[in-house]
Amino acid sequence: MRIVLLGPPGAGKGTQARRLSERYGLPVIGTGDIFRDHAARGTALGLAAKEYMDRGDYVPDHIAVNMVLERLDQPDTREGFILDGFPRTVAQAQALEGALAAGGRPLSAVLNFKIGDEVAVKRLTGRLVCPNCKRVYNLNFKRPRVEGICDVCGHRLEARSDDDEATIRRRLLVYRKETQPLVLYFWERGLLRDIDAEAPEEVVADRTIEALSDLLDLEA
Ligand SMILES: [Zn+2]
């Protein structure tokens, strides 16, 4: 099962990706993680990508595509994968689909998580992330039991450095502009389902399974 997750920052994509990963035993491939890995190793691709990310811009297609395709060559993606945050543009989608078609493993489903800008801003300000297990907390409405400590693994939580309101609004604007054509592209190919993601996590999880079942004719 090869799944792409779309949705603006704050839509809960990361959370739903983790749940799908546990349910189906597939790796979650996030471009953020790939970029950070390259940046930490100081690769040329990583350094180039970091410059764009630090400005709140998206990484240019050729850099992102090369990093993701390299990752999709790893053996853990043989049974499938969950792509979170890629593709961002129609050009990236075409490059991805071309490479996957060449390998005889086309995409199975594209899930589009939808939320309004005000909900996104509310969710993203005050966000804390566990760098170890990737769980997300929020000082406004999903506080950890012990201040600054992950409930699940006990690691110290970190604030996302790019999550001030002006940056968030800019990222949302860039997101809408860039991904609207992408949503249409996948929709026209019969691969896409919209998911209303303003509901609580559990409800969105049920909607996600329903949408997948609908696209793949699976038992829910
Ligand atoms: Zn944790």
Side-chain angles (χ1 to χ4, degrees):
M1 191 171 2
R2 291 167 295 274
I3 307 170
V4 167
L5 306 183
L6 301 179
K13 268 197 330 291
T15 302
Q16 298 301 330
R18 180 170 49 73
R19 296 179 71 116
L20 287 173
S21 170
E22 285 165 6
R23 185 181 176 107
Y24 297 112
L26 300 174
V28 177
I29 299 181
T31 46
D33 288 333
I34 297 178
F35 294 163
R36 277 187 284 276
D37 173 56
H38 276 264
R41 288 189 287 131
T43 68
L45 283 172
L47 293 173
K50 187 172 184 304
E51 271 184 43
Y52 291 91
M53 292 173 78
D54 285 348
R55 289 200 300 265
D57 286 331
Y58 287 124
V59 175
D61 286 346
H62 66 281
I63 298 175
V65 167
N66 282 333
M67 285 187 187
V68 171
L69 292 182
E70 180 187 278
R71 177 64 185 85
L72 293 182
D73 276 342
Q74 305 296 314
D76 65 334
T77 67
R78 208 166 290 150
E79 299 300 317
F81 51 78
I82 300 161
L83 268 176
D84 174 9
F86 184 92
R88 287 279 192 210
T89 65
V90 172
Q92 288 181 357
Q94 287 168 334
L96 173 69
E97 288 205 292
L100 291 175
R105 44 178 204 165
L107 286 178
S108 319
V110 179
L111 304 176
N112 184 33
F113 294 92
K114 300 186 76 168
I115 56 165
D117 281 4
E118 295 316 310
V119 174
V121 169
K122 204 168 147 194
R123 283 185 180 176
L124 289 169
T125 47
R127 193 161 78 153
L128 297 170
V129 179
C130 175
N132 182 45
C133 72
K134 313 293 184 195
R135 274 167 178 79
V136 178
Y137 300 85
N138 190 293
L139 292 174
N140 301 319
F141 49 85
K142 192 185 171 186
R143 303 182 70 93
R145 283 194 293 270
V146 179
E147 193 182 323
I149 300 294
C150 179
D151 291 351
V152 178
C153 74
H155 202 283
R156 184 168 294 281
L157 299 174
E158 289 175 358
R160 282 278 304 268
S161 62
D162 54 354
D163 285 351
D164 65 273
E165 186 171 338
T167 307
I168 289 165
R169 289 195 184 274
R170 182 174 147 73
R171 282 162 66 204
L172 289 169
L173 202 69
V174 173
Y175 176 83
R176 306 254 182 243
K177 195 176 141 212
E178 290 211 341
T179 44
Q180 259 157 18
L182 187 63
V183 167
L184 187 65
Y185 171 83
F186 282 127
W187 183 78
E188 283 175 343
R189 300 165 73 75
L191 283 172
L192 182 126
R193 288 289 182 283
D194 284 333
I195 296 168
D196 175 354
E198 292 195 353
E201 179 183 326
E202 300 290 334
V203 176
V204 177
D206 289 344
R207 289 175 182 165
T208 302
I209 300 302
E210 259 174 55
L212 267 183
S213 308
D214 183 30
L215 276 165
L216 304 174
D217 281 330
L218 290 177
E219 297 293 319

